[in-house]
Amino acid sequence: MGTGWDCYAGVVSVRAACLVLPLVCAIACGDARTGTSAAGGPVLGTDMDSVPVSDSVSESVTRAVPAPAAAAAPVASTGPLQYLAFGGGSLPGSTEVSLEQNLLLAREVLGGPGELLFAGGAGSLSVRELTDDRPRQPSLRVRLGEIFQPRPGRDSRYRRSTLEVPAATLEAVEASLERALSEGGDPLLLYVAAHGERGDAPADNYVALWGGRGLSARALAALHERAPRPLRAVVTSCFSGGFAELAFRAADPSKGPAAAPRCGLFAGLSDRETSGCDPDPDRRRQQGYSLHFLQALAARDRQGEPLAGADLDGDGAISLLEAHARARIASRSIDVPTTTSERFLRHAVPRVPARAPRLELPPVLPEERAVVDALADALELRTLAETRRRWEGLDRDLAALDRELAAAERASDAAYQSLAAALLSRWPVLDDAYHPAFERTLADAGPRIEEALSTWPEVRAFSQAERRLRVVDARYSGALVEESTVLRLLRARETLALAATLQARGGPDLAHFERLLACERYVPPRP
């Protein structure tokens, strides 16, 4: 899916994806389980003395509306860019309002000078928002659309962005990156609030930009290695953990540690989707990584209230890694965030030892300890083994729900086929609103079609199958949030054990791990 519509990944068909989307995207942008039961989690062996770990464990109201008042731009300042932020979808339908809100929040929180690029740019009707003014009784045309061509945009409206900035096309993003990387010696913070897609390998994962082209982890590594200004990347898209390959030269583990000074923090693992693409503008109902992360940088909780305890090392400032830890602790979502240091650690030490050495000397990893302490208390899981058993059980439950969801989707498809055959055998063009005879069919047979949709048994059977699909999807979504939270705790505990092992071993791998940690502990300038 190269168009940025990653909300629909993992569902059996596009038609079914659109039908269950309001439930799925209420928590996240789709089904985060894109592979086998081990995808996104630890690769669990039977020998508990040496456990390998993985590197990733409706009525149409789509009219244009005026944008809210444009947000005040920051005061212009001179000097090299301190941050470059870009985001949005590849088309208006995938440019949910939360992506715009996250870029606005980034501009508020980060100190400049900075540059923003967003969706289709100034003047384009790029932003999709849910609307409350849907008619109580949908028209016949809309009812037919919900059967034959469902899509989430019908409960939305589109408006201009409040960000008066250029479009986030691949060409514009690459040009801005090249300019920013070529100037100044201070670190450049790159922030990305976009949709992500999977490639053939983690380094080929990419963020989808306006117009459908994408920037991959491998391409970003190549850009940086041509002009290696220190770089800190924060990527919040689905499959963003693929950008953790920046820990390696050319984003390739076989080529060894990256010599270019860079690191990154990411909303999810390389093979899992994330939350955050929300068309609902009410921030109180959002749980994405970006919202928690950016607010934490400003010492605020998700709602913008003062936040105590985010400064984990007590140095009086909140680093990227501390804000990342806050997102891992506080978010009730499917996100399982990761970093370049975690990716490199799991490459350098691929197995969790039965008895890890005590972690006493730097790195003491206060961020990991904070995640473990908070989630262990919340989940009442006191040991690594106990956490692993809980995750394994939840993974099995999700596999069973996966099968149940697939069965419900097959039943829905079968009911749809029966209904479509019955309707189209009488009115063959009802599934094609662009057919020259469609309007005439509605005009001539509208009352009879209305009666069919109200009385035919095929319609009732289809409605029942759809309701069943939504119920199962809601159960799956809730279970996925629980599994993701336990997986965050499991990976934090594994990280402590792996880091202690690497520390005891020493050598160049430990030195690179410590360099990545220091990079991730960067404190960005505040306005």
Side-chain angles (χ1 to χ4, degrees), residues 99-366:
L99 301 178
E100 179 195 48
Q101 291 170 323
N102 290 337
L103 281 176
L104 285 164
L105 183 57
R107 189 169 70 180
E108 173 195 338
V109 167
L110 301 175
E115 181 181 353
L116 272 69
L117 301 96
F118 180 67
S124 67
L125 299 174
S126 297
V127 180
R128 180 166 80 90
E129 283 187 357
L130 289 182
T131 181
D132 294 328
D133 56 353
R134 301 179 70 186
R136 298 180 64 181
Q137 181 59 44
S139 67
L140 175 59
R141 185 188 305 272
V142 169
R143 293 178 69 189
L144 291 171
E146 288 172 349
I147 293 171
F148 291 113
Q149 293 182 337
R151 56 189 302 171
R154 294 197 181 103
D155 62 2
S156 303
R157 58 187 179 185
Y158 295 88
R159 62 163 174 81
R160 291 180 177 85
S161 175
T162 62
L163 290 163
E164 296 292 329
V165 299
T169 63
L170 178 61
E171 295 80 5
V173 166
E174 287 183 334
S176 292
L177 269 169
E178 288 174 348
R179 285 194 302 270
L181 290 171
S182 66
E183 58 184 22
D186 292 336
L188 174 69
L189 177 59
L190 176 65
Y191 170 75
V192 183
H195 290 273
E197 305 289 351
R198 290 187 75 178
D200 293 335
D204 298 317
N205 290 9
Y206 62 94
V207 289
L209 300 172
W210 187 257
R213 300 175 67 192
L215 178 71
S216 70
R218 199 182 303 278
L220 178 58
L223 279 170
H224 186 232
E225 287 165 11
R226 290 200 295 269
R229 175 184 177 183
L231 176 67
R232 284 86 170 114
V234 178
V235 186
T236 67
S237 66
C238 294
F239 315 115
S240 52
F243 284 81
E245 302 301 287
L246 292 172
F248 305 103
R249 188 185 304 271
D252 183 347
S254 70
K255 295 183 178 180
R262 65 185 180 222
C263 60
L265 307 98
F266 315 104
L269 302 177
S270 65
D271 60 354
R272 287 178 72 117
E273 295 186 350
T274 62
S275 60
C277 53
D278 198 333
D280 186 347
D282 189 343
R283 292 293 248 182
R284 295 170 299 179
R285 293 195 285 266
Q286 296 179 19
Q287 281 285 353
Y289 173 89
S290 276
L291 182 55
H292 288 279
F293 175 85
L294 291 170
Q295 292 284 34
L297 280 180
R300 301 187 300 237
D301 67 13
R302 179 172 64 97
Q303 301 295 348
E305 299 298 325
L307 176 65
D311 178 14
L312 299 174
D313 59 8
D315 66 353
I318 298 175
S319 70
L320 298 179
L321 195 56
E322 287 169 331
H324 179 81
R326 169 65 184 178
R328 294 162 69 194
I329 291 167
S331 178
R332 277 294 288 169
S333 73
I334 65 168
D335 299 346
V336 184
T338 191
T339 61
T340 43
S341 62
E342 182 183 37
R343 171 66 180 97
F344 181 77
L345 177 64
R346 287 170 177 258
H347 172 78
V349 187
R351 303 182 76 83
V352 176
R355 293 176 179 83
R358 185 174 178 83
L359 188 63
E360 294 179 340
L361 302 175
V364 294
L365 303 181

